[in-house]
Amino acid sequence: IGQDLRSFVGRLRVEHACRLIKNNPHLTVQFAAMESGFSSMNTFYRAASKYVADEETMQILSKEDMT
C-alpha cells in the first residue's frame, strides 16, 4: 500500500464522508465528517485537502464555508 495505518484510515474516513455527501446532498459537511469519525472540522478539512485531488469534490466539501 505504501502508507502507514494512520494515513490509510484517514483516507478511508475522507472517502466515506465524500460518499455520504454525494449520495445525500441534503446532509451537511459537518454531519458527514462527524459520522465518518472526525472530531473537528479542522481535522476533516486538513485530511480532505491531503486525500482529495478532485476540484469538484473539494468545492462540494467547502460548500458550507461559502454560505
Side-chain angles (χ1 to χ4, degrees), residues 30 33-34 37-46:
Q30 182 174 10
M34 298 302 152
F38 289 95
S39 59
S40 73
M41 291 305 293
N42 284 337
T43 305
F44 171 71
Y45 284 127
R46 194 175 316 116

Side-chain angles (χ1 to χ4, degrees), residues 16-61:
H16 181 257
C18 289
R19 269 194 310 277
L20 282 175
I21 293 164
K22 286 181 178 181
N23 294 333
N24 305 284
H26 64 282
L27 292 181
T28 65
V29 174
Q30 182 174 10
F31 180 84
M34 298 302 152
E35 283 293 304
S36 300
F38 289 95
S39 59
S40 73
M41 291 305 293
N42 284 337
T43 305
F44 171 71
Y45 284 127
R46 194 175 316 116
S49 68
K50 202 175 190 183
Y51 301 115
V52 176
D54 179 12
E55 181 70 27
E56 181 181 347
T57 302
M58 282 307 291
Q59 288 178 348
I60 292 168
L61 294 179

